[in-house]
Amino acid sequence: MRRSGQKLLAFDRKLGVRFVAGADEAGRGSLAGPLVAAGVLFDYERLRDHAVRPLAFLNDSKQVSPEGREELFRAVAGCATRIVVRVVSPDVIDRDGLHRSNLRALRESLAALHPPAEACLVDGFRLGPLAPPHRAVVDGDTKSAAIAAASIVAKVTRDRLMRRLDALYPRYGFSSHVGYITPGHTRAVVAHGPCPQHRRSFQARAYAGAVAA
């Protein structure tokens, strides 16, 4: 079987430039917890031979087990020229809106990368004129190594944050569902009300039956 990373790396190399950046986010559809965006910069002049081997099994974060994501996180950290992460809190999401918050975090992740990328790729979204010149790639985390790497970084970073929040808010089971809506999460919100990590701007059924916060 062809290693997943080979196809992703080939996509980026076909762009014909040295520095390729990818951006992706985790937690966009979550009921609780932050939104995390990541930007990853690869130097394709340096990523050759043995230097690129750790990325052989790079893949979209959704296609990898939690243990596999942790391994790939370490591989990306060792291979990337630079990694930038932006964390958007639930109160900022409620104040500014999810979509606006998401675009801003992705823009900032790309803009902070240095040296500036010659090609910037984003998973699915056009980020507007304030962002560095970029290309939106539909299902980009299954096509581009830089985007897949950003998806791994964003997902692992967010999952780690949710495990920490689970210790602060043990009633909600954040370490298991990482803030997404599940039957158990809904029951916890109904029983205990939303905590400060819940996004109040979401029209969630769980809130309708929740006890007063």
Side-chain angles (χ1 to χ4, degrees):
M1 182 181 295
R2 188 180 185 189
R3 295 179 178 181
S4 54
Q6 294 176 349
K7 178 185 74 171
L8 301 174
L9 291 160
F11 180 94
D12 289 5
R13 290 190 189 281
K14 286 179 182 178
L15 299 172
V17 298
R18 175 176 177 178
F19 291 105
V20 178
D24 200 3
E25 90 290 316
R28 191 157 45 98
S30 177
L31 179 65
L35 173 75
V36 176
V40 173
L41 181 67
F42 282 143
D43 177 354
Y44 278 99
E45 188 171 294
R46 186 178 68 84
L47 282 181
R48 297 185 181 279
D49 303 322
H50 69 280
V52 78
R53 288 175 189 164
L55 299 177
F57 294 100
L58 181 63
N59 206 343
D60 166 19
S61 63
K62 296 185 290 296
Q63 304 301 318
V64 185
S65 69
E67 296 78 13
R69 287 194 293 265
E70 289 284 350
E71 291 182 12
L72 285 173
F73 182 94
R74 291 189 287 272
V76 171
C79 292
T81 296
R82 188 168 173 83
I83 295 172
V84 172
V85 173
R86 292 289 182 265
V87 179
V88 185
S89 65
D91 59 326
V92 171
I93 293 171
D94 287 343
R95 183 192 69 201
D96 297 340
L98 175 64
H99 187 60
R100 182 180 297 177
S101 298
N102 186 35
L103 296 186
R104 182 173 60 234
L106 290 168
R107 281 197 301 266
E108 291 178 353
S109 297
L110 287 176
L113 293 171
H114 185 79
E118 296 162 274
C120 292
L121 307 176
V122 184
D123 186 29
F125 291 103
R126 290 290 302 169
L127 305 181
L130 297 179
H134 61 285
R135 170 184 168 190
V137 182
V138 177
D139 295 326
D141 46 9
T142 68
K143 297 174 181 176
S144 159
I147 296 178
S151 79
I152 291 289
V153 170
K155 176 62 174 169
V156 170
T157 299
R158 187 176 185 280
D159 284 358
R160 290 176 178 178
L161 288 172
M162 294 307 295
R163 288 195 293 271
R164 294 180 184 178
L165 289 172
D166 183 71
L168 295 175
Y169 305 97
R171 293 174 168 178
Y172 297 94
F174 288 153
S175 62
S176 62
H177 54 65
V178 295
Y180 288 90
I181 297 176
T182 65
H185 190 184
T186 296
R187 287 193 297 270
V189 174
V190 170
H192 306 295
C195 76
Q197 290 300 319
H198 284 94
R199 303 175 188 178
R200 308 301 181 92
S201 54
F202 280 29
Q203 300 300 311
R205 291 182 181 178
Y207 293 160
V211 299

